[in-house]
């Protein structure tokens, strides 16, 4: 198959690009070549560039070893790039050398896209979704609290028009646009925006006032449509992809629109459901080294932590009233683990991973023998017992996370409206035997929704565990502070899902 030029917008850490560019055609070639990735946030941009570099060197054993040296911290990124200057320059060019913003740096971005399109003989695709804050349900409830907030003045609402601008310039055969579920119901001036968004995407040239831009048919990737051009046949919820049905260990529900240029005489297939539903959290992360949390707001000390956990185990036995039931005591096994670290680097246990294939092959890197971005954060001492309670409760209740009403009084946080119902879900354990709930960028804030299922570890998930649930390969290195890394992971499209989307696009372009 001919090479396909990929233009990656609002690229984040690069989940969508990673998955799509990994697709292999029948001859063993990888046809999707990322020409440009545009990202404005500096830590995500750094991650994106490091990964672009990795993709360029990964077939060379020697260069891979140098990359491992970098992610293990024994050489700097500058030293790595100096060792492989050509690939480093090419990776930097791919991500425009610096963080760039659509809307602000359009001259430079549009010129690059023009040049790429002019120099490429073969199909091209545009991928990526405008940021979701303005559409997202959470964003809306936050915005509702802002005095004089007017959705129509929030420029993020209209960032999708920047996307249309690029479509008008590149006129790709196909585009893949991702967004949060809230885009289906977002309103401006009381009017639901989604039908208008669809209308705009079908005719980008009209919006951008560009002549000779072909129109697009918009397809769902999960529901066959008879005539997708006719809005009557489109049910907005048909665009919702439930990632857990496609081999992702996480209930992530996102809107993905597949635009196919009007002159393409081929109809895309839909994604194949995986027969591995659900992939549990434990099978996805259980092989990663156990860790302890730290204390925030007081000096972190391992002995102090261990004695707190031992006291908590006794209190928990009392709270759960299990001490007389030997079977339950064994099931819970609250005996504290000793000598846990807050950070693990060696990944000696990966052979024990129970991740089902093909996800296992996708995630693990047997040459790395190292765990990246696997470090816990600190929690308030009071929260450690709550975390242990949540994890133990889920173990005793077939994976159900406790609601606030299930908390004993002595564990209730001092929250004026703890009992009001608005905080029913203040703490959530990611149960061992179920798929995870959506990994969002909120994980960067406090971790209460992302409690590890092991009551002895008393902590929220690490960046690496969140990355596993998002199906980022283990050798994907997240740059920036830990908070920034969490945001990047929470924002991304699961690369394993993206690969399946890439296969649909590859088949479509192959047929055409
Ligand atoms: C939902 S994330 C994208 C995730 C990405 N598709 C992936 O799979 O990893 C949206 C990204 O758009 C970036 N962004 C927001 N406004 C932007 C702009 N005007 N230009 C470029 N990037 C922007 C944000 O920093 C964020 O990283």
């Amino acid at each position: 198959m001919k090479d396909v030029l990929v233009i990656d917008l609002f690229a984040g850490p690069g989940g969508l690009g990673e998955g799509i560019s990994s697709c292999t055609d029948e001859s063993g070639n990888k046809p999707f070549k990322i020409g440009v990735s545009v990202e404005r946030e500096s830590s995500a941009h750094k991650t994106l560039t490091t990964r672009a570099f990795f993709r360029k060197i990964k077939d060379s054993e020697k260069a891979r070893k140098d990359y491992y040296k970098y992610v293990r911290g024994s050489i700097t990124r500058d030293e790595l790039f100096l060792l492989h200057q050509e690939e480093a320059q090419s990776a930097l060019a791919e991500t425009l050398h610096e963080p760039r913003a659509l809307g602000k740096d359009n001259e430079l971005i549009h010129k690059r896209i023009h040049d790429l399109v002019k120099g490429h003989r073969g199909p091209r695709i545009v991928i990526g979704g405008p940021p979701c804050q303005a559409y997202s349900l959470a964003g809306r409830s936050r915005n509702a609290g802002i005095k004089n907030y007017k959705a129509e003045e929030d420029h993020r609402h209209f960032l999708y028009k920047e996307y249309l601008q690029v479509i008008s310039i590149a006129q790709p055969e196909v585009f893949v646009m991702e967004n949060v579920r809230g885009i289906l119901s977002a309103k401006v001036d009381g009017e639901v925006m989604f039908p208008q968004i669809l209308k705009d995407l079908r005719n980008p040239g009209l919006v951008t006032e560009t002549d000779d831009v072909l129109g697009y048919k918009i397809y769902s990737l999960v529901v066959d449509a008879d005539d997708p051009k006719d809005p009557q046949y489109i049910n907005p919820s048909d665009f919702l992809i439930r990632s857990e049905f496609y081999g992702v260990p996480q209930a992530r529900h996102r809107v993905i629109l597949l635009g196919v240029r009007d002159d393409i005489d081929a109809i895309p297939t839909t994604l194949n459901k995986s027969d591995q539903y659900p992939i549990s959290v434990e099978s996805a992360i259980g092989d990663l080294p156990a860790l302890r949390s730290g204390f925030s707001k007081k000096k972190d000390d391992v002995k102090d932590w261990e004695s707190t956990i031992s006291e908590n185990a006794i209190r928990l036995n009392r709270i759960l009233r299990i001490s007389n039931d030997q079977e339950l005591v064994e099931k819970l096994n609250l005996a504290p683990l000793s000598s846990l670290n807050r950070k693990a680097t060696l990944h000696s246990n990966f052979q024990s991973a129970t991740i089902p294939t093909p996800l296992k092959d996708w995630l693990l890197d047997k040459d790395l023998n190292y765990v990246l971005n696997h470090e816990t954060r600190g929690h308030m001492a009071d929260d450690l017992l709550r975390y242990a309670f949540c994890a133990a409760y889920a173990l005793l209740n077939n994976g159900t996370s406790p609601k606030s009403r299930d908390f004993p009084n002595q564990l209730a946080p001092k929250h004026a409206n703890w009992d009001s119902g608005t905080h029913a879900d203040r703490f959530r354990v990611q149960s061992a035997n179920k798929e995870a709930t959506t990994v969002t960028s909120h994980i960067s804030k406090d971790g209460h929704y992302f409690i590890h299922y092991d009551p002895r570890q008393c902590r929220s998930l690490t960046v690496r565990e969140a990355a596993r649930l998002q199906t980022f390969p283990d050798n994907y290195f997240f740059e920036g502070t830990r908070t920034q890394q969490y945001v990047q992971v929470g924002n991304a499209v699961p690369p394993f899902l993206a690969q399946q989307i890439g296969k649909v696009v590859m088949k479509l372009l192959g047929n055409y």
Side-chain angles (χ1 to χ4, degrees):
M1 182 170 167
K2 271 189 183 166
D3 277 356
V4 181
L5 169 67
V6 180
I7 296 164
D8 182 16
L9 306 179
F10 307 104
L16 193 51
E18 171 75 9
I20 288 188
S21 62
S22 72
C23 290
T24 311
D25 68 14
E26 283 160 358
S27 338
N29 297 323
K30 292 192 165 54
F32 292 109
K33 306 280 192 260
I34 301 183
V36 64
S37 287
V38 185
E39 171 54 46
R40 71 154 191 205
E41 195 282 315
S42 62
S43 70
H45 177 266
K46 196 170 176 192
T47 298
L48 199 60
T49 311
T50 300
R51 191 63 185 181
F53 171 82
F54 176 77
R55 276 196 293 269
K56 292 176 197 299
I57 55 93
K58 74 179 177 5
D59 294 331
S60 147
E61 201 181 322
K62 150 100 189 50
R64 255 180 111 101
K65 281 190 180 148
D66 292 334
Y67 171 79
Y68 294 152
K69 279 187 201 157
Y70 164 58
V71 293
R72 287 172 183 165
S74 46
I75 60 171
T76 65
R77 192 166 179 263
D78 285 347
E79 285 166 339
L80 174 70
F81 281 8
L82 215 56
L83 287 171
H84 305 279
Q85 290 182 35
E86 200 180 306
E87 291 86 351
Q89 280 313 314
S90 163
L92 283 160
E94 190 176 305
T95 60
L96 294 167
H97 294 272
E98 278 177 42
R100 301 285 183 190
L102 278 144
K104 187 170 142 278
D105 300 313
N106 279 358
E107 200 178 319
L108 180 138
I109 297 167
H110 291 176
K111 177 171 181 331
R112 167 60 75 81
I113 293 170
H114 265 300
D115 291 350
L116 283 167
V117 168
K118 226 165 100 188
H120 177 76
R121 291 177 169 274
R124 49 200 180 257
I125 65 172
V126 170
I127 62 170
C132 44
Q133 300 94 314
Y135 302 118
S136 79
L137 302 167
R140 272 194 284 160
S141 62
R142 234 187 353 260
N143 295 338
I146 300 173
K147 218 174 154 201
N148 301 330
Y149 174 76
K150 285 208 174 71
E152 63 272 27
E153 285 168 15
D154 186 337
H155 71 282
R156 290 171 303 190
H157 262 301
F158 298 100
L159 266 179
Y160 84 98
K161 291 199 174 158
E162 292 293 341
Y163 192 82
L164 297 177
Q165 188 75 47
V166 171
I167 301 227
S168 298
I169 295 170
Q171 302 197 35
E173 275 77 350
V174 171
F175 66 77
V176 178
M177 181 172 149
E178 186 252 356
N179 226 295
V180 288
R181 186 188 194 131
I183 197 179
L184 298 177
S185 52
K187 286 183 182 167
V188 171
D189 268 349
E191 208 173 307
V192 178
M193 286 184 78
F194 191 63
Q196 182 63 43
I197 293 173
L198 280 183
K199 207 168 151 201
D200 292 346
L201 288 168
R202 290 191 179 109
N203 257 309
L206 272 185
V207 185
T208 59
E209 296 175 5
T210 318
D211 291 337
D212 302 327
V213 176
L214 286 167
Y216 286 82
K217 299 187 191 81
I218 314 295
Y219 289 91
S220 153
L221 279 159
V222 288
V223 178
D224 290 317
D226 293 328
D227 180 4
K229 244 180 143 180
D230 184 340
Q232 283 193 63
Y233 286 86
I234 295 271
N235 181 354
S237 64
D238 288 350
F239 292 112
L240 204 64
I241 296 193
R242 295 170 202 272
S243 309
E244 65 273 29
F245 294 142
Y246 302 94
V248 174
Q250 180 198 165
R252 188 181 193 85
H253 301 168
R254 289 288 185 260
V255 170
I256 300 194
L257 310 178
L258 186 72
V260 179
R261 214 173 57 200
D262 271 344
D263 61 329
I264 310 286
D265 190 17
I267 292 181
T269 49
T270 49
L271 297 170
N272 289 325
K273 273 198 178 163
S274 160
D275 52 13
Q276 289 169 340
Y277 170 78
I279 299 182
S280 71
V281 173
E282 187 172 23
S283 67
I285 68 171
D287 61 299
L288 293 171
L291 298 174
R292 73 174 180 90
S293 48
F295 288 121
S296 59
K297 305 251 163 105
K298 72 169 181 169
K299 190 170 171 290
D300 185 44
D301 173 80
V302 61
K303 287 283 164 260
D304 189 8
W305 190 88
E306 283 175 359
S307 65
T308 305
I309 298 305
S310 302
E311 283 162 30
N312 283 354
I314 296 166
R315 288 177 70 188
L316 208 53
N317 267 318
R318 226 177 288 138
I319 290 168
L320 298 166
R321 295 196 189 88
I322 60 165
S323 12
N324 296 331
D325 186 332
Q326 199 47 38
E327 203 183 317
L328 281 187
V329 169
E330 270 165 33
K331 183 170 178 189
L332 267 185
N333 185 18
L334 291 173
L337 295 162
S338 62
S339 315
L340 289 182
N341 293 317
R342 290 196 56 190
K343 177 178 178 171
T345 48
L346 218 58
H347 191 196
S348 44
N349 202 26
F350 72 88
Q351 273 95 348
S352 73
T354 56
I355 312 165
T357 45
L359 183 60
K360 184 176 182 175
D361 299 332
W362 171 261
L363 292 174
L364 299 184
D365 176 352
K366 60 180 177 14
D367 298 328
L368 179 61
N369 196 21
Y370 212 73
V371 203
L372 310 177
N373 308 102
H374 192 47
E375 182 175 16
T376 63
R377 53 185 158 194
H379 299 299
M380 306 278 284
D382 285 351
D383 282 334
L384 295 190
L385 181 55
R386 294 190 185 106
Y387 281 19
F389 168 75
C390 290
Y393 183 98
L395 281 174
L396 296 174
N397 292 281
N398 195 26
T400 305
S401 193
K403 303 273 184 210
S404 62
R405 62 169 181 271
D406 302 312
F407 275 64
N409 283 342
Q410 66 260 48
L411 290 189
K414 288 191 194 75
H415 236 291
N417 42 11
W418 169 250
D419 291 327
S420 68
T422 46
H423 285 276
D425 255 345
R426 185 80 185 88
F427 295 92
R428 189 187 299 142
V429 58
Q430 296 298 327
S431 306
N433 63 343
K434 294 182 175 168
E435 74 274 25
T437 58
T438 317
V439 176
T440 62
S441 59
H442 185 86
I443 192 170
S444 66
K445 299 266 186 327
D446 59 19
H448 289 351
Y449 289 162
F450 303 96
I451 299 169
H452 193 284
Y453 56 78
D454 181 354
R456 298 164 304 175
Q457 297 185 44
C458 299
R459 62 177 179 87
S460 55
L461 301 181
T462 63
V463 169
R464 178 52 48 194
E465 288 162 340
R468 277 274 184 96
L469 299 173
Q470 276 279 56
T471 71
F472 277 98
D474 280 2
N475 52 29
Y476 213 108
F477 185 60
F478 293 91
E479 307 271 8
T481 64
R482 196 167 56 220
T483 301
Q484 290 170 330
Q485 294 165 14
Y486 277 122
V487 173
Q488 292 170 38
V489 171
N491 270 342
V493 176
F496 190 65
L497 175 69
Q499 188 192 50
Q500 295 168 59
I501 296 171
K503 285 179 186 165
V504 169
V505 176
M506 196 164 69
K507 202 164 159 194
L508 176 86
L509 293 176
N511 287 344
Y512 151 71

